[in-house]
Amino acid sequence: LIIKATTMNNNNNNKNDGIIQTSNEDDTPLILSPRVSKKELIRLLESHPLPKDTNGKVLSFTYGTAGFRYDAKLLEGIMIRVGILAAYVASNCSSSVGLMITASHNDESYNGVKLSGSDGGMMNSEGEALAVDLANAVTPEDVLKRVVVQQNNASVVHVGHDTRVHSPALTDLAVRAARAMGATVYLHGVVSTPQLHYCTMMDNPQLLPALLLPPMPNVKGYYLQLATAYAEFMNSIDERDESFPLIVDCACGVGFPQLQQLDRVLTDVMGNNRRTIVPRNAPGEGPLNERCGSEFVQKQQQPPTWYNPNKDDNVVYYGASLDGDADRIVFFSSSPSNFILLDGDKIAALICLFLKQQLSYFSDECNLKLGVVQTAYANGSSTKYLKELPVEVRIAKTGVKHVHKVAHEEFDIGVYFEANGHGTVLFGTNF
C-alpha cells in the first residue's frame, strides 16, 4: 500500500486533529493512527446525542438494506455509534471492515451509512442486529457497555463518502469514534460505494482465493484491475463498433470524478484505440439525483436532464446512467421520437447469455452451476427468456442483501440485477 504522507497534529485539544481533508487526488488513502480514549468517546457521544421528536421522545433507528439512511440532520449521533461499531467488529474478526457514508439515489437532504464486511460484501445479520442495538442506545454508558475499547489492537476501518455537502462532517464523526476505539482508519475520501467495498475486500487477502493480481487496497488498484480486464476482454473481440462514445449521466454525484480517472487509466492501458467515455452531470452542475441518475431514467422511462446542455443532447446513441454513489447502472438510447432502456433485468439476461456461451467452451466435467436471482418485481418476460436459455432462476425476497445471499449460496456463478441497475456477478470457490 502506498501511504500518503500527512502532517498529524498531536494536540489532543484540537477538534480537527488528524482530519486535514478528505481528499484522495492521488488515489491513496490518508492513514490515521488510533487515538484510544474512552474519555473522547464519552465526549463525542455527549456532544452529539440522539435526536428527539417534537414530543421530546428519542427517535428510533433501523438498519435496512441501505444501512442507516435518514435526513442528514438526524445522523450525527448515529455516525459516532457506527464508528464505534466498525472498530469493534474489525477487532473481533481480526480483519479490516468498511464504512461508506452515502444516501445513494436519494436527494441531497438525506445521508446514511453502510457497513461493509471483511469480504467486501454487506454486513451479516449479527452485525446488523448489533448496529441497531448501538444506534438506539441513548446514553454513553448504554453504548459503551455493549463494546470493548481496544487498548492494543491492529483493527482497520476503511472509510469513504459521496459528494453530499454534509458527508465530510458526518465522516469526520465516524472516523473520530473509530480511532478513539483503537482502530486505524484508512480514509479514502470521495469514492463510489463499489470502490469502498473493493478496498475493504482487497485489504483482507487471507479471505480471498489466489489472485492473479497482487492485492491493492486502494482506488488505484480498483482502476487498474477494471482497465486491465476490460482491455483483455476487448482484445478478444474480432469485430466491434466503437464509433459512438458512451455518454454517462453521473447524477451530479461521485461517478463523475471517478469516471474521469478511470478514463485516464484506460488511456494508459489501451491508448486511444477504444470507445470514448464522456461523463456528464458533474457535482454542482445540478441537484444530486434530481431528474437524472439511474433511478429516474429507469422509473420514468426517459433520458436524464443534462444540466450542462449541448446541441447534441437530443440524440444519444449509447448512454448510461449511474446513481449518486455509482453502485447502479442502466443503459439507454434516446432521440426525440424514441427511447430504449436496458435496465437491470435486461443486463442480467445479456450477462447470462454471455457466460453460458463462455461455459460451453469447457468440458462437461467442468460442471459449474450458473444461475440468476430475481425478485417478484422482475420483468416476467426476462424470467421466461432466462429459463429458455436455459439458466436456473431463483426468486428471493426484495432487497440486495437477500438476492446476494441466494446468489452466493446456491450457484458457482451467481448473477443478480435489480431493475434499477443494482447488481453484480458472484464467482464462487468452485469457479
Side-chain angles (χ1 to χ4, degrees):
L1 177 67
I2 302 171
I3 302 176
K4 176 188 282 187
T6 62
T7 301
M8 306 295 282
N9 186 336
N10 291 319
N11 179 3
N12 288 329
N13 294 321
N14 181 359
K15 290 188 177 181
N16 291 318
D17 180 30
I19 309 298
I20 301 169
Q21 58 179 357
T22 54
S23 171
N24 57 341
E25 293 177 359
D26 60 358
D27 300 329
T28 59
L30 294 170
I31 299 184
L32 305 174
S33 58
R35 295 280 175 86
V36 182
S37 173
K38 186 174 181 179
K39 182 178 179 181
E40 171 66 1
L41 288 170
I42 293 172
R43 186 192 71 79
L44 285 167
L45 289 164
E46 288 178 341
S47 301
H48 304 280
L50 294 177
K52 298 178 180 180
D53 63 19
T54 55
N55 295 319
K57 182 179 179 181
V58 176
L59 297 177
S60 61
F61 294 87
T62 59
Y63 191 99
T65 299
F68 293 114
R69 187 173 298 178
Y70 294 91
D71 187 301
K73 295 190 292 291
L74 305 177
L75 287 173
E76 290 184 0
I78 293 297
M79 290 299 168
I80 294 162
R81 287 160 172 77
V82 168
I84 291 171
L85 172 66
Y88 179 70
V89 170
S91 174
N92 279 359
C93 67
S94 300
S95 55
S96 304
V97 300
L99 287 180
M100 182 66 192
I101 287 79
T102 181
S104 189
H105 64 280
N106 290 101
D107 66 52
E108 182 79 29
S109 67
Y110 283 81
N111 217 317
V113 58
K114 308 174 186 178
L115 287 92
S116 167
S118 52
D119 61 354
M122 288 166 286
M123 190 170 57
N124 60 32
S125 57
E126 292 82 5
E128 288 185 12
L130 180 56
V132 173
D133 192 32
L134 277 176
N136 293 289
V138 177
T139 67
E141 293 74 19
D142 288 339
V143 173
L144 296 179
K145 73 182 182 183
R146 291 167 164 79
V147 296
V148 177
V149 181
Q150 304 299 317
Q151 297 297 327
N152 297 295
N153 187 41
S155 60
V156 172
V157 179
H158 289 262
V159 181
H161 64 83
D162 66 13
T163 58
R164 295 165 197 270
V165 293
H166 27 69
S167 287
L170 293 174
T171 298
D172 186 45
L173 293 173
V175 168
R176 290 179 188 284
R179 295 177 73 193
M181 275 289 291
T184 297
V185 173
Y186 285 30
L187 187 58
H188 295 271
V190 175
V191 291
S192 70
T193 292
Q195 287 172 333
L196 192 279
H197 282 266
Y198 170 91
C199 292
T200 304
M201 176 186 70
M202 283 295 167
D203 203 26
N204 294 290
Q206 75 279 7
L207 302 178
L208 299 172
L211 298 172
L212 297 177
L213 297 172
M216 295 177 65
N218 51 45
V219 175
K220 182 177 181 179
Y222 179 88
Y223 292 135
L224 284 174
Q225 289 214 12
L226 275 184
T228 302
Y230 179 70
E232 290 293 331
F233 175 67
M234 296 308 293
N235 287 336
S236 70
I237 300 174
D238 294 328
E239 297 182 13
R240 60 188 199 233
D241 180 5
E242 297 183 340
S243 55
F244 298 114
L246 174 60
I247 311 297
V248 184
D249 157 36
C250 299
C252 302
V254 68
F256 188 90
Q258 303 306 332
L259 263 182
Q260 287 182 313
Q261 181 61 10
L262 176 60
D263 194 54
R264 288 191 285 269
V265 176
L266 283 169
T267 298
D268 292 341
V269 172
M270 301 178 69
N272 294 318
N273 184 30
R274 60 178 180 84
R275 187 184 300 278
T276 302
I277 299 175
V278 182
R280 301 279 302 278
N281 285 344
E285 287 186 350
L288 180 69
N289 292 316
E290 187 171 312
R291 298 193 61 80
C292 62
S294 58
E295 179 87 353
F296 173 81
V297 171
Q298 185 259 328
K299 291 285 194 302
Q300 301 301 318
Q301 300 280 304
Q302 67 183 68
T305 299
W306 303 111
Y307 284 104
N308 187 16
N310 63 51
K311 60 182 177 61
D312 299 323
D313 287 343
N314 283 337
V315 178
V316 176
Y317 291 102
Y318 187 34
S321 281
L322 308 173
D323 66 340
D325 65 335
D327 69 347
R328 300 183 184 189
I329 189 168
V330 296
F331 295 86
F332 64 90
S333 176
S334 66
S335 68
S337 61
N338 196 26
F339 178 79
I340 300 172
L341 176 68
L342 192 71
D343 64 6
D345 290 327
K346 294 176 182 176
I347 293 172
L350 284 175
I351 289 174
C352 287
L353 176 61
F354 171 76
L355 290 173
K356 193 165 180 65
Q357 290 171 340
Q358 299 305 303
L359 290 173
S360 70
Y361 299 128
F362 291 92
S363 68
D364 292 338
E365 297 175 359
C366 179
N367 199 31
L368 289 172
K369 189 176 181 181
L370 167 66
V372 63
V373 184
Q374 296 185 316
T375 72
Y377 293 100
N379 185 313
S381 296
S382 71
T383 306
K384 181 174 182 290
Y385 173 83
L386 287 163
K387 289 181 176 179
E388 290 175 351
L389 270 178
V391 171
E392 289 191 50
V393 178
R394 297 284 187 275
I395 303 298
K397 291 193 292 185
T398 303
V400 172
K401 67 179 181 181
H402 301 300
V403 293
H404 186 99
K405 184 175 187 292
V406 174
H408 174 69
E409 293 179 350
E410 297 200 18
F411 300 112
D412 300 316
I413 307 174
V415 180
Y416 70 84
F417 267 87
E418 295 179 309
N420 60 30
H422 196 171
T424 192
V425 183
L426 300 176
F427 295 91
T429 53
N430 288 340
F431 179 86

